[in-house]
Amino acid sequence: MAPTTQLMFVIFTFFSFFLCATIDAQLSPSFYRKTCPKLQGIVRKTMAQALYTEKRMGASILRLFFHDCFVNGCDGSILLVDTPTFTGEQGALPNKNSVRGFNVINTIKTNVEKACNATVSCADILALAARDGTVLLGGPSWTVSLGRRDSTTANLTAANTDLPPPFANLDKLISMFAAKGLNATEMTALSGAHTIGLGRCVTFRAHIYNDTDIDKDFATLRKATCPFSGGDANLAPIDLRTPNKFDNRYYQNLRLRRGLFHSDQELFNGGSQDGLVESYSINGRRFARDFAAAMIKMGNISPLTGSHGEIRLNCSVVNN
């Protein structure tokens, strides 16, 4: 081989490798088009069955995805259970006794494994399930890019520090989302996920008993099932009017000072997000559009791709 030909071959090989590595590290909506073509249909069908049994599950899966992505990226780490030799994230303060839906993700995984064994990650299943649960409750759809791989580790410390708490003020919320690459608009749009689901008394007690930025009648209503002491696990709808419908009433509630959590009402309390809350409360289409875009961006936080991580056979534990 002539020197010039050898040089061209080396250059071609280098760029081919570089191109493959770049592509390998990217997520794609068509990632499983050939290897698991029935994937999205399986996820949608299983989620529909889960919501038929319990409407709340849509909110639970959406929250599970959020809590996964905010801790070391969207890698399925929150799905890992504690073992005698492994400590996961489920015992972190923001997750303990509150994150749920693991049984649904495990059921989807079982169904997917029957169609295409050892092919689809639990992280991708969670991303699709969060989207489908939202759609099935009347919310917007978005294109989910796929190709995430599953983490073999978890981060309890980060789960305790990186997840926005229900008592956070606006500056804290903005900074915590910014740390994940999400701006204030995206933070306010993603907070609209609280248009569905339930909250535990312990997470909103301080707001209804101590805060002044709350409608008095609403506070009285919530106190009926959330006593000053005790009843920590008692549940209340985050959106009083349509807790099982994904709409823009969450923002309408904020304008009426009926946010269930302190962090909710901070979005409409004389601060920088008041105007956006007003807009979303009037323009449901704008909220839906911004929410979908923010979910896409959140779903792209630090995914494991290529040869990193693994494809778990059981979402609850790492492979042997």
Side-chain angles (χ1 to χ4, degrees), residues 131-145:
R131 190 270 310 276
D132 290 350
T134 299
V135 172
L136 290 165
L137 291 178
S141 183
W142 59 90
T143 299
V144 178
S145 291

Side-chain angles (χ1 to χ4, degrees), residues 4 18 21 26 37 43 66 84 88 96 107 110 146 163 203 219 247 258:
T4 302
F18 177 79
Q26 293 177 340
V43 176
F66 177 90
K96 191 174 183 179
T107 298
T110 298
L146 303 166
L163 292 167
T203 61
D247 53 26
R258 293 177 181 174

Side-chain angles (χ1 to χ4, degrees), residues 127-237:
L128 288 169
R131 190 270 310 276
D132 290 350
T134 299
V135 172
L136 290 165
L137 291 178
S141 183
W142 59 90
T143 299
V144 178
S145 291
L146 303 166
R148 301 170 188 80
R149 288 171 64 85
D150 297 319
S151 171
T152 57
T153 61
N155 194 330
L156 180 65
T157 300
N160 275 315
T161 59
D162 291 6
L163 292 167
F167 50 80
N169 62 29
L170 182 59
D171 287 343
K172 182 67 172 177
L173 290 171
I174 291 174
S175 66
M176 293 187 81
F177 276 76
K180 304 301 176 182
L182 298 163
N183 62 36
T185 296
E186 290 158 344
M187 178 273 294
T188 299
L190 288 170
S191 296
H194 283 176
T195 191
I196 52 177
L198 305 173
R200 294 183 302 144
C201 169
V202 68
T203 61
F204 61 82
R205 177 183 286 120
H207 180 50
I208 63 175
Y209 283 97
N210 301 332
D211 290 347
T212 58
D213 59 339
I214 185 171
D215 176 75
K216 291 183 178 180
D217 291 338
F218 178 70
T220 299
L221 175 65
R222 292 280 62 92
K223 289 175 183 178
T225 55
C226 182
F228 189 77
S229 62
D232 286 1
N234 292 353
L235 299 172

Side-chain angles (χ1 to χ4, degrees), residues 24-66:
D24 194 41
Q26 293 177 340
L27 302 181
S28 167
S30 60
F31 188 83
Y32 300 108
R33 182 172 59 85
K34 293 183 178 180
T35 57
C36 195
K38 297 182 179 180
L39 169 63
Q40 301 215 27
I42 294 171
V43 176
R44 177 64 65 92
K45 181 179 179 179
T46 312
M47 279 300 296
Q49 293 169 341
L51 266 65
Y52 180 79
T53 301
E54 182 188 13
K55 293 289 187 183
R56 182 190 175 196
M57 193 53 67
S60 297
I61 297 297
L62 185 56
R63 183 170 184 260
L64 199 60
F65 183 52
F66 177 90

